[in-house]
């Protein structure tokens, strides 16, 4: 176990940058906003603590990457910024959710409300639900878990066709497992920053997914026929629970953060930390650390105090 505790001076440099114009922009925050951001950098802060790497299987150990400070985020010519005509996040559900229509509607509405609070200043809308068949995506049976999987790339192509003209981005969510290509076992999600799209599965956020008793495992070997989506009729999807909703909120806001151009956080505990497994994902907090919060505020231009009051 390793604690990645950065000196306060380093964190302040990462937050403010070395550019005079970006330091001056930071000084435009209100006294209360600067106090909140600065306090989050201090050792022993109750708001934002140091990242703890528990094992070599954790994200930072397994996926070495250069950390992103505020200045590098700001200077990235490829980062996405909402404008007047593109200030809406659209959520598209694919396939069934939960045990009934009422549960599904309440679940996705909770997701929509949380996402709108998190991305304060943008509108979040739900698109009409679609079946797996409507997406015309490729599918398979996973040879390890014996559960059904959808091709993530095909779903992104489907979302591209449905992306409204006023969209900042469109994200697809499903309770069915995903895979990106034949050689991969699975993927939690896939996104395109340049296209403003992403698709994410919450199937593996069910506590029983990796058990042999998981109801989504096919009971017998079947030979799938391309284009025959009848196998998804009545196919098991995890029941909606409070823990699944919590995990879904984290994943949705994390992945949309990538569409803005925010990379995995390596500074403090933050919802933008990478995660290799469910235990690590559960350790992530719900909100952004001060450094990633400044990145998002720069993109959307909300008042930090307003966002905290809205989401609180």
């Amino acid at each position: 176990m390793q604690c990645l505790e950065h000196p306060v001076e380093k964190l302040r440099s990462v937050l403010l940058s070395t550019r005079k114009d970006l330091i001056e922009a930071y000084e435009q925050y209100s006294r209360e906003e600067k106090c909140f951001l600065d306090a989050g950098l201090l050792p022993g802060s109750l708001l934002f603590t140091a990242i703890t790497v528990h094992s070599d299987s954790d994200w930072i150990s397994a996926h070495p990457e250069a950390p992103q400070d505020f200045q590098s985020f700001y200077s990235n010519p490829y980062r996405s910024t909402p404008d007047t005509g593109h200030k809406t996040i659209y959520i598209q559900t694919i396939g069934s959710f939960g045990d009934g229509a009422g549960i599904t509607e309440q679940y996705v509405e909770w997701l929509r409300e949380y996402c709108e609070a998190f991305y304060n200043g943008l509108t979040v809308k739900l698109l009409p639900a679609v079946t797996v068949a409507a997406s015309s995506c490729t599918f398979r049976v996973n040879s390890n878990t014996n559960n059904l999987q959808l091709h993530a790339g095909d779903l992104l192509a489907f979302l591209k066709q449905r992306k409204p003209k006023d969209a900042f981005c469109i994200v697809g969510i499903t309770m069915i497992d995903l895979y990106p290509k034949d050689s991969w076992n699975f993927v939690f999600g896939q996104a395109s920053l340049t296209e403003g799209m992403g698709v994410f599965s919450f199937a593996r956020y069910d506590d029983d997914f990796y058990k042999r008793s998981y109801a989504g495992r096919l009971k017998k070997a079947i030979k799938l026929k391309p284009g025959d989506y009848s196998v998804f009729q009545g196919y098991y999807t995890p029941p909606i629970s409070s823990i699944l909703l919590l995990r879904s909120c984290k994943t949705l806001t994390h992945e949309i953060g990538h569409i803005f151009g925010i990379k995995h956080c390596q500074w403090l505990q933050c919802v933008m930390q990478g995660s290799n497994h469910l235990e690590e994902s559960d350790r992530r907090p719900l909100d952004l650390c001060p450094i990633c919060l400044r990145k998002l505020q720069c993109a959307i231009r909300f008042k930090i105090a307003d966002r905290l009051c809205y989401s609180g």
Side-chain angles (χ1 to χ4, degrees), residues 242-296:
S242 57
I243 189 63
L244 190 143
L245 176 63
L246 175 65
R247 290 166 175 167
S248 302
C249 286
K250 286 184 182 181
T251 296
L252 190 59
T253 50
H254 173 102
E255 299 298 347
I256 294 174
H258 285 321
I259 295 176
F260 278 88
I262 304 174
K263 295 185 178 181
H264 287 123
C265 183
Q266 300 183 52
W267 304 115
L268 293 162
Q269 286 194 4
C270 176
V271 75
M272 290 307 299
Q273 283 174 246
S275 61
N276 254 0
H277 46 82
L278 191 55
E279 180 187 344
E280 186 176 22
S281 178
D282 283 344
R283 291 199 299 265
R284 292 185 305 192
L286 277 165
D287 210 355
L288 299 163
C289 73
I291 296 157
C292 293
L293 179 58
R294 188 182 181 194
K295 296 173 188 176
L296 186 63

Side-chain angles (χ1 to χ4, degrees), residues 36-267:
F36 172 77
L37 294 172
D38 291 345
L41 308 179
L42 300 176
S45 168
L46 297 177
L47 298 173
F48 306 99
T49 57
I51 295 173
T52 300
V53 178
H54 288 244
S55 71
D56 290 342
S57 66
D58 281 6
W59 182 272
I60 289 178
S61 300
H63 300 275
E65 53 187 325
Q68 183 191 52
D69 58 20
F70 175 73
Q71 184 171 317
S72 60
F73 165 81
Y74 184 87
S75 304
N76 181 2
Y78 302 107
R79 67 182 177 89
S80 298
T81 302
D83 57 37
T84 303
H86 304 86
K87 297 189 69 173
T88 303
I89 295 171
Y90 286 93
I91 298 176
Q92 172 71 71
T93 59
I94 303 167
S96 60
F97 282 71
D99 299 323
I103 294 174
T104 298
E105 291 172 3
Q106 182 64 75
Y107 169 74
V108 294
E109 176 58 22
W110 279 330
L111 281 177
R112 188 202 67 77
E113 289 177 354
Y114 183 81
C115 193
E116 194 163 82
F118 192 96
Y119 291 104
N120 182 257
L122 300 184
T123 301
V124 181
K125 295 182 180 180
L126 300 174
L127 292 170
V130 298
T131 62
V132 174
S135 73
S136 300
C137 71
T138 307
F139 54 93
R140 74 177 187 184
V141 176
N142 182 287
S143 58
N144 295 318
T145 59
N146 212 39
N147 62 291
L148 291 171
Q149 294 182 301
L150 308 179
H151 191 280
D154 287 354
L155 293 179
L156 285 177
F158 169 72
L159 293 172
K160 185 176 181 178
Q161 296 174 348
R162 292 179 62 83
K163 186 178 179 182
K165 294 185 182 299
D166 67 336
F168 167 69
C169 68
I170 180 172
V171 291
I173 58 173
T174 182
M175 284 291 188
I176 302 171
D177 207 22
L178 299 176
Y179 73 102
K181 53 185 178 181
D182 290 341
S183 60
W184 281 49
N185 182 30
F186 78 98
V187 69
F188 282 114
Q190 194 168 330
S192 170
L193 188 156
T194 55
E195 298 281 1
M197 302 183 306
V199 61
F200 320 111
S201 170
F202 303 139
R204 291 176 183 251
Y205 289 158
D206 178 50
D207 284 332
D208 295 328
F209 184 87
Y210 293 98
K211 297 179 180 178
R212 295 196 63 83
S213 59
Y214 180 65
R217 286 176 175 262
L218 299 177
K219 302 297 187 268
K220 58 182 180 180
I222 59 174
K223 187 173 182 180
L224 299 179
K225 297 179 181 179
D228 181 5
Y229 295 95
S230 61
V231 68
F232 292 99
Q233 294 176 8
Y235 180 66
Y236 174 84
T237 53
I240 305 301
S241 65
S242 57
I243 189 63
L244 190 143
L245 176 63
L246 175 65
R247 290 166 175 167
S248 302
C249 286
K250 286 184 182 181
T251 296
L252 190 59
T253 50
H254 173 102
E255 299 298 347
I256 294 174
H258 285 321
I259 295 176
F260 278 88
I262 304 174
K263 295 185 178 181
H264 287 123
C265 183
Q266 300 183 52
W267 304 115

